[in-house]
Amino acid sequence: MSDESETFPGLPDDRAFSREVFQHALDRKGAVHKCEACGKDKWVVSQGLMLLQAMTPDGGVQPGHGVEVVPVFCNHCGLIRLHAVTILVQD
């Protein structure tokens, strides 16, 4: 799997910009607190989004259904918080 910037030379890599947008949204909404697991306050916002996949009642994956989330990692203990993108970027 190749990096997007390698595929399209000269185009900016917007992952750093996305990280800044999500960090600003977390700050604006007051969602930056001490880690629930270790008590530190050193969080790192992921550069990429993830899809929290929806499941069927019998445990199968439901294609096309899920929630896009921004992972936020504690830089001390590794706890991962997931924030729903659609709600996070709302005013």
Side-chain angles (χ1 to χ4, degrees), residues 5-85:
S5 60
E6 291 176 12
T7 307
F8 301 104
L11 290 179
D13 181 357
D14 69 349
R15 290 177 293 183
F17 175 73
S18 294
R19 177 185 279 174
E20 288 179 30
V21 168
F22 294 133
Q23 181 64 59
H24 178 71
L26 290 165
D27 292 339
R28 188 179 75 247
K29 293 191 175 245
V32 181
H33 301 285
K34 291 186 177 187
C35 176
E36 297 86 359
C38 71
K40 303 292 183 186
D41 61 354
K42 301 294 182 191
W43 295 99
V44 177
V45 177
S46 176
Q47 287 188 349
L49 301 178
M50 293 181 173
L51 180 65
L52 189 58
Q53 189 67 54
M55 307 292 284
T56 61
D58 65 352
V61 174
Q62 228 177 349
H65 293 83
V67 176
E68 284 185 316
V69 296
V70 178
V72 181
F73 303 86
C74 175
N75 204 29
H76 180 74
C77 74
L79 178 77
I80 302 172
R81 295 185 335 205
L82 301 175
H83 294 266
V85 173

